[in-house]
Amino acid sequence: MATITELRARRDVLGAQRASGVARVSYDGKTVDYRSVAEIDRAIEALDRDIAAAEGRRIVRQVRVMTAKGL
């Protein structure tokens, strides 16, 4: 299991590459080619969950659905 510092470093690299539009990410001597921005986003979300778990907390996501009829 990677340390919190390593997980944060990976997340920072992914975020920087996503912002620059590059789909190839290299860290820890490994190179990963992502097929889409959505795939990078999912990798960042997974790292956020791993970081939260390592810190002993949970990420709570809430979705509020509102509907209206006959506007």
Side-chain angles (χ1 to χ4, degrees):
M1 180 79 185
T3 65
I4 294 172
T5 305
E6 292 170 342
L7 292 171
R8 286 184 179 152
R10 290 178 192 171
R11 184 187 60 197
D12 293 343
V13 168
L14 279 172
Q17 293 299 89
R18 183 189 184 285
S20 69
V22 176
R24 176 173 284 182
V25 179
S26 297
Y27 55 85
D28 295 337
K30 299 176 186 176
T31 301
V32 179
D33 289 317
Y34 292 96
R35 290 175 277 182
S36 66
V37 173
E39 193 173 21
I40 295 173
D41 289 341
R42 286 190 299 272
I44 291 171
E45 289 173 7
L47 285 169
D48 285 338
R49 284 191 303 272
D50 291 344
I51 291 168
E55 293 175 339
R57 59 184 177 86
R58 293 185 317 146
I59 295 179
V60 178
R61 306 250 189 239
Q62 294 181 349
V63 177
R64 182 172 296 177
V65 178
M66 299 175 66
T67 61
K69 187 175 181 180
L71 293 175

